[in-house]
Amino acid sequence: MITETPISSEMFKQSMRLLAGGVCIVATNSNGEWHGLTMTAVCSLTMDPPSLIACVNRDAGAHGTMSATKRISVNVLTRDHTDLAELFSSSNIKGPQRFDNERWLEMASGVPALIDALAVLDCEVIQEMTVGQHSVFFCEVKNVRLQPSRKPLVHFNREFCAVQPVC
Ligand SMILES: Cc1cc2nc3c(=O)[nH]c(=O)nc-3n(C[C@H](O)[C@H](O)[C@H](O)COP(=O)(O)O)c2cc1C
C-alpha cells in the first residue's frame, strides 16, 4: 500500500524539490536598466499562439518591470551556467549588477539575451494573474534564438545537475 501524508508546507516544498526543472534566467529592461532572476517555474502553455507561463514572486526585483513593460526574455541555461544561476538568485548582487556586457546583448525588443543560452524566448506578457505571493505571467513568444546542440542545466533536490539520455 502507498502511504499518503496530509500536506504541510514542508512536505509541499519537499515534493516540489523532487520535480526536476530546467533552469532559466528571466530578464527585463527598465529604461535601459536590465533586471533578471533565476527561475524554474517556466512552462509551455499552448502552441497557437506560441505561449508560456512564468511564475514570479512579487517581491522579486524584476517583477515590477515585468508587469510594467510587458516584455521579458526567457534565457534557457546550459550546464555551463551554474555560476549565472547562482548569481541571478543571489541576495548580495542585485539588479543591473548581475549583467556582464560580454555575456549579454540586447534584442530588438529591448530585452537582454544571454549570448550562449540554449534558447532565448523573447516574450510579450499578455495577462498577469496573482496567486498568493506570486504572479503568473501569461506570455506570447514573439522571437526565438536557438542553440540546441548545447546541454541543459536542471535543478533537482536542491542541486544543479546535467542530464543524460537513458538509452
Ligand atoms: C534553481 C532556482 C529556481 C528558482 N525559481 C524561481 C521561480 O521560478 N520563481 C521565482 O520567483 N523565484 C525563483 N527562484 C528564486 C529567485 O531566483 C531569487 O529569489 C532571486 O534572488 C530573486 O531576484 P531578486 O534578488 O532580484 O529579487 C529560484 C531560485 C533558484 C536557485
Side-chain angles (χ1 to χ4, degrees):
M1 199 172 85
I2 297 172
T3 309
E4 294 178 14
T5 313
I7 189 80
S8 66
S9 56
E10 191 46 42
M11 289 298 287
F12 177 65
K13 274 195 260 176
Q14 275 182 31
S15 312
M16 290 298 101
R17 284 181 200 134
L18 301 180
L19 177 62
V23 185
C24 306
I25 292 173
V26 169
T28 60
N29 183 335
S30 168
N31 297 318
E33 274 199 350
W34 291 346
H35 295 268
L37 73 155
T38 300
M39 290 190 56
T40 49
V42 173
C43 177
S44 170
L45 181 60
T46 60
M47 285 284 287
D48 188 17
S51 53
L52 56 81
I53 57 170
C55 307
V56 183
N57 191 311
R58 286 186 288 123
D59 286 340
H63 181 277
T65 310
M66 293 175 69
S67 279
T69 63
K70 305 203 179 310
R71 202 79 194 200
I72 67 169
S73 61
V74 176
N75 299 269
V76 182
L77 300 188
T78 74
R79 66 184 184 189
D80 300 320
H81 287 143
T82 49
D83 60 334
L84 285 179
E86 280 165 1
L87 176 64
F88 279 77
S89 56
S90 154
S91 47
N92 301 322
I93 303 173
K94 297 278 183 182
Q97 284 180 300
R98 288 178 175 164
F99 291 87
D100 168 353
N101 282 338
E102 288 183 5
R103 299 184 84 168
W104 295 85
L105 52 78
E106 197 163 290
M107 299 184 91
S109 64
V111 291
L114 179 64
I115 291 168
D116 60 349
L118 193 55
V120 183
L121 298 99
D122 177 12
C123 303
E124 186 184 335
V125 175
I126 50 172
Q127 212 177 313
E128 180 182 340
M129 185 185 285
T130 303
V131 181
Q133 183 54 37
H134 282 66
S135 286
V136 184
F137 289 95
F138 294 80
C139 303
E140 207 170 300
V141 182
K142 297 295 186 182
N143 297 291
V144 291
R145 281 167 57 93
L146 304 177
Q147 301 182 85
S149 59
R150 296 171 191 263
K151 304 290 181 211
L153 180 65
V154 166
H155 196 252
F156 173 69
N157 214 6
R158 296 202 265 189
E159 285 185 317
F160 291 110
C161 308
V163 292
Q164 61 184 51
V166 286
C167 53

